[in-house]
Amino acid sequence: RQGGTVDQFKDALTCDLLPYNLTNQLLRIINTAKGAPAVPPAPILPDKTPGLDAFTFDYSVDWPLSLIIGKNAIVKYQLIFRHLFHCKHVERQLSNAWLSQQSTKGLLGLPALSCS
């Protein structure tokens, strides 16, 4: 039996592809905090925005929980998630590059380093 079939909050969580990247979202928040008018970021063409930069989760909070968890808190969680998601991607890329480099060393007859 799947855990998602009995979760009463499963419909509140959605996946979104935002039309702007994490940097533009942070700049928009900073400008709003400084009192500058909130100018919507120029939408980036879909072929120019990688899915990694656009992917985020959204959660719709119902009343009375919305009194505690407001839109600002959801935005903060989205920013943290997007940053950690990007960090995980960078970690995978670095790991693959390191493994590729180590296998190339083995072909050249040089001793490969062990990861311990």
Side-chain angles (χ1 to χ4, degrees), residues 56-72:
T56 190
F57 285 116
D58 196 16
Y59 189 77
S60 61
V61 183
D62 294 331
W63 191 88
L65 193 57
S66 63
L67 298 173
I68 299 169
I69 303 174
K71 188 64 180 168
N72 287 340

PDB file of all heavy atoms in Angstrom, residues 56-72:
ATOM      1  N   THR A  56      10.393  23.963  -9.156  1.00  0.00           N
ATOM      2  CA  THR A  56      10.120  24.276  -7.755  1.00  0.00           C
ATOM      3  C   THR A  56       8.844  23.568  -7.308  1.00  0.00           C
ATOM      4  O   THR A  56       8.097  23.063  -8.134  1.00  0.00           O
ATOM      5  CB  THR A  56       9.981  25.798  -7.521  1.00  0.00           C
ATOM      6  OG1 THR A  56       9.940  26.055  -6.125  1.00  0.00           O
ATOM      7  CG2 THR A  56       8.735  26.349  -8.157  1.00  0.00           C
ATOM      8  N   PHE A  57       8.647  23.516  -6.017  1.00  0.00           N
ATOM      9  CA  PHE A  57       7.414  22.988  -5.436  1.00  0.00           C
ATOM     10  C   PHE A  57       6.577  24.152  -4.936  1.00  0.00           C
ATOM     11  O   PHE A  57       7.104  25.179  -4.526  1.00  0.00           O
ATOM     12  CB  PHE A  57       7.704  22.067  -4.246  1.00  0.00           C
ATOM     13  CG  PHE A  57       8.228  20.723  -4.626  1.00  0.00           C
ATOM     14  CD1 PHE A  57       9.495  20.322  -4.258  1.00  0.00           C
ATOM     15  CD2 PHE A  57       7.450  19.835  -5.342  1.00  0.00           C
ATOM     16  CE1 PHE A  57       9.979  19.079  -4.593  1.00  0.00           C
ATOM     17  CE2 PHE A  57       7.923  18.585  -5.688  1.00  0.00           C
ATOM     18  CZ  PHE A  57       9.183  18.209  -5.315  1.00  0.00           C
ATOM     19  N   ASP A  58       5.286  23.959  -4.936  1.00  0.00           N
ATOM     20  CA  ASP A  58       4.384  24.936  -4.340  1.00  0.00           C
ATOM     21  C   ASP A  58       3.411  24.183  -3.442  1.00  0.00           C
ATOM     22  O   ASP A  58       3.061  23.037  -3.717  1.00  0.00           O
ATOM     23  CB  ASP A  58       3.626  25.716  -5.408  1.00  0.00           C
ATOM     24  CG  ASP A  58       2.992  26.978  -4.835  1.00  0.00           C
ATOM     25  OD1 ASP A  58       3.384  27.394  -3.726  1.00  0.00           O
ATOM     26  OD2 ASP A  58       2.113  27.545  -5.498  1.00  0.00           O
ATOM     27  N   TYR A  59       3.020  24.823  -2.378  1.00  0.00           N
ATOM     28  CA  TYR A  59       2.116  24.197  -1.415  1.00  0.00           C
ATOM     29  C   TYR A  59       1.002  25.168  -1.100  1.00  0.00           C
ATOM     30  O   TYR A  59       1.255  26.314  -0.708  1.00  0.00           O
ATOM     31  CB  TYR A  59       2.883  23.827  -0.140  1.00  0.00           C
ATOM     32  CG  TYR A  59       2.082  22.988   0.821  1.00  0.00           C
ATOM     33  CD1 TYR A  59       1.895  21.632   0.583  1.00  0.00           C
ATOM     34  CD2 TYR A  59       1.497  23.546   1.947  1.00  0.00           C
ATOM     35  CE1 TYR A  59       1.154  20.854   1.458  1.00  0.00           C
ATOM     36  CE2 TYR A  59       0.759  22.775   2.826  1.00  0.00           C
ATOM     37  CZ  TYR A  59       0.590  21.427   2.571  1.00  0.00           C
ATOM     38  OH  TYR A  59      -0.154  20.654   3.425  1.00  0.00           O
ATOM     39  N   SER A  60      -0.227  24.747  -1.300  1.00  0.00           N
ATOM     40  CA  SER A  60      -1.361  25.604  -0.960  1.00  0.00           C
ATOM     41  C   SER A  60      -1.820  25.266   0.452  1.00  0.00           C
ATOM     42  O   SER A  60      -2.181  24.132   0.748  1.00  0.00           O
ATOM     43  CB  SER A  60      -2.502  25.418  -1.960  1.00  0.00           C
ATOM     44  OG  SER A  60      -2.958  24.090  -1.937  1.00  0.00           O
ATOM     45  N   VAL A  61      -1.751  26.251   1.309  1.00  0.00           N
ATOM     46  CA  VAL A  61      -2.074  26.078   2.719  1.00  0.00           C
ATOM     47  C   VAL A  61      -3.497  26.551   2.961  1.00  0.00           C
ATOM     48  O   VAL A  61      -3.860  27.673   2.610  1.00  0.00           O
ATOM     49  CB  VAL A  61      -1.084  26.873   3.604  1.00  0.00           C
ATOM     50  CG1 VAL A  61      -1.373  26.640   5.065  1.00  0.00           C
ATOM     51  CG2 VAL A  61       0.343  26.513   3.264  1.00  0.00           C
ATOM     52  N   ASP A  62      -4.309  25.699   3.544  1.00  0.00           N
ATOM     53  CA  ASP A  62      -5.698  26.047   3.836  1.00  0.00           C
ATOM     54  C   ASP A  62      -5.811  26.709   5.203  1.00  0.00           C
ATOM     55  O   ASP A  62      -4.939  26.583   6.055  1.00  0.00           O
ATOM     56  CB  ASP A  62      -6.581  24.789   3.800  1.00  0.00           C
ATOM     57  CG  ASP A  62      -6.661  24.191   2.407  1.00  0.00           C
ATOM     58  OD1 ASP A  62      -6.552  24.954   1.434  1.00  0.00           O
ATOM     59  OD2 ASP A  62      -6.819  22.961   2.303  1.00  0.00           O
ATOM     60  N   TRP A  63      -6.924  27.395   5.373  1.00  0.00           N
ATOM     61  CA  TRP A  63      -7.218  28.017   6.646  1.00  0.00           C
ATOM     62  C   TRP A  63      -7.534  26.944   7.672  1.00  0.00           C
ATOM     63  O   TRP A  63      -8.141  25.948   7.316  1.00  0.00           O
ATOM     64  CB  TRP A  63      -8.415  28.973   6.482  1.00  0.00           C
ATOM     65  CG  TRP A  63      -8.625  29.847   7.668  1.00  0.00           C
ATOM     66  CD1 TRP A  63      -8.053  31.051   7.894  1.00  0.00           C
ATOM     67  CD2 TRP A  63      -9.462  29.568   8.790  1.00  0.00           C
ATOM     68  NE1 TRP A  63      -8.478  31.544   9.091  1.00  0.00           N
ATOM     69  CE2 TRP A  63      -9.346  30.645   9.665  1.00  0.00           C
ATOM     70  CE3 TRP A  63     -10.266  28.508   9.152  1.00  0.00           C
ATOM     71  CZ2 TRP A  63     -10.021  30.702  10.868  1.00  0.00           C
ATOM     72  CZ3 TRP A  63     -10.934  28.567  10.347  1.00  0.00           C
ATOM     73  CH2 TRP A  63     -10.811  29.659  11.195  1.00  0.00           C
ATOM     74  N   PRO A  64      -7.135  26.985   8.872  1.00  0.00           N
ATOM     75  CA  PRO A  64      -6.515  28.027   9.678  1.00  0.00           C
ATOM     76  C   PRO A  64      -4.980  27.956   9.679  1.00  0.00           C
ATOM     77  O   PRO A  64      -4.338  28.826  10.226  1.00  0.00           O
ATOM     78  CB  PRO A  64      -7.054  27.759  11.071  1.00  0.00           C
ATOM     79  CG  PRO A  64      -7.219  26.287  11.144  1.00  0.00           C
ATOM     80  CD  PRO A  64      -7.612  25.888   9.736  1.00  0.00           C
ATOM     81  N   LEU A  65      -4.427  26.928   9.036  1.00  0.00           N
ATOM     82  CA  LEU A  65      -2.971  26.801   9.012  1.00  0.00           C
ATOM     83  C   LEU A  65      -2.321  27.965   8.261  1.00  0.00           C
ATOM     84  O   LEU A  65      -1.175  28.328   8.540  1.00  0.00           O
ATOM     85  CB  LEU A  65      -2.573  25.461   8.382  1.00  0.00           C
ATOM     86  CG  LEU A  65      -1.141  25.014   8.532  1.00  0.00           C
ATOM     87  CD1 LEU A  65      -0.751  24.934   9.998  1.00  0.00           C
ATOM     88  CD2 LEU A  65      -0.922  23.679   7.858  1.00  0.00           C
ATOM     89  N   SER A  66      -3.055  28.572   7.351  1.00  0.00           N
ATOM     90  CA  SER A  66      -2.514  29.702   6.600  1.00  0.00           C
ATOM     91  C   SER A  66      -2.241  30.915   7.496  1.00  0.00           C
ATOM     92  O   SER A  66      -1.506  31.817   7.100  1.00  0.00           O
ATOM     93  CB  SER A  66      -3.474  30.089   5.473  1.00  0.00           C
ATOM     94  OG  SER A  66      -4.706  30.519   6.006  1.00  0.00           O
ATOM     95  N   LEU A  67      -2.806  30.928   8.688  1.00  0.00           N
ATOM     96  CA  LEU A  67      -2.510  32.004   9.635  1.00  0.00           C
ATOM     97  C   LEU A  67      -1.089  31.893  10.165  1.00  0.00           C
ATOM     98  O   LEU A  67      -0.468  32.894  10.541  1.00  0.00           O
ATOM     99  CB  LEU A  67      -3.499  31.974  10.807  1.00  0.00           C
ATOM    100  CG  LEU A  67      -4.973  32.194  10.446  1.00  0.00           C
ATOM    101  CD1 LEU A  67      -5.843  31.962  11.662  1.00  0.00           C
ATOM    102  CD2 LEU A  67      -5.172  33.574   9.860  1.00  0.00           C
ATOM    103  N   ILE A  68      -0.570  30.684  10.199  1.00  0.00           N
ATOM    104  CA  ILE A  68       0.784  30.442  10.716  1.00  0.00           C
ATOM    105  C   ILE A  68       1.791  30.348   9.574  1.00  0.00           C
ATOM    106  O   ILE A  68       2.862  30.944   9.632  1.00  0.00           O
ATOM    107  CB  ILE A  68       0.806  29.143  11.548  1.00  0.00           C
ATOM    108  CG1 ILE A  68      -0.133  29.281  12.736  1.00  0.00           C
ATOM    109  CG2 ILE A  68       2.222  28.822  12.002  1.00  0.00           C
ATOM    110  CD1 ILE A  68      -0.392  27.993  13.458  1.00  0.00           C
ATOM    111  N   ILE A  69       1.438  29.610   8.549  1.00  0.00           N
ATOM    112  CA  ILE A  69       2.331  29.416   7.402  1.00  0.00           C
ATOM    113  C   ILE A  69       1.807  30.276   6.259  1.00  0.00           C
ATOM    114  O   ILE A  69       0.939  29.856   5.504  1.00  0.00           O
ATOM    115  CB  ILE A  69       2.399  27.934   6.987  1.00  0.00           C
ATOM    116  CG1 ILE A  69       2.851  27.081   8.155  1.00  0.00           C
ATOM    117  CG2 ILE A  69       3.323  27.758   5.798  1.00  0.00           C
ATOM    118  CD1 ILE A  69       2.815  25.611   7.900  1.00  0.00           C
ATOM    119  N   GLY A  70       2.367  31.466   6.139  1.00  0.00           N
ATOM    120  CA  GLY A  70       1.928  32.400   5.115  1.00  0.00           C
ATOM    121  C   GLY A  70       2.702  32.230   3.820  1.00  0.00           C
ATOM    122  O   GLY A  70       3.571  31.362   3.677  1.00  0.00           O
ATOM    123  N   LYS A  71       2.393  33.076   2.863  1.00  0.00           N
ATOM    124  CA  LYS A  71       3.053  33.027   1.553  1.00  0.00           C
ATOM    125  C   LYS A  71       4.541  33.316   1.671  1.00  0.00           C
ATOM    126  O   LYS A  71       5.350  32.723   0.958  1.00  0.00           O
ATOM    127  CB  LYS A  71       2.378  34.026   0.606  1.00  0.00           C
ATOM    128  CG  LYS A  71       2.855  33.929  -0.806  1.00  0.00           C
ATOM    129  CD  LYS A  71       2.518  32.596  -1.420  1.00  0.00           C
ATOM    130  CE  LYS A  71       3.004  32.531  -2.855  1.00  0.00           C
ATOM    131  NZ  LYS A  71       2.953  31.181  -3.390  1.00  0.00           N
ATOM    132  N   ASN A  72       4.930  34.206   2.592  1.00  0.00           N
ATOM    133  CA  ASN A  72       6.360  34.501   2.774  1.00  0.00           C
ATOM    134  C   ASN A  72       7.127  33.267   3.218  1.00  0.00           C
ATOM    135  O   ASN A  72       8.250  33.033   2.766  1.00  0.00           O
ATOM    136  CB  ASN A  72       6.549  35.629   3.786  1.00  0.00           C
ATOM    137  CG  ASN A  72       6.161  36.973   3.225  1.00  0.00           C
ATOM    138  OD1 ASN A  72       6.095  37.139   2.015  1.00  0.00           O
ATOM    139  ND2 ASN A  72       5.903  37.922   4.100  1.00  0.00           N
TER     140      ASN A  72
END
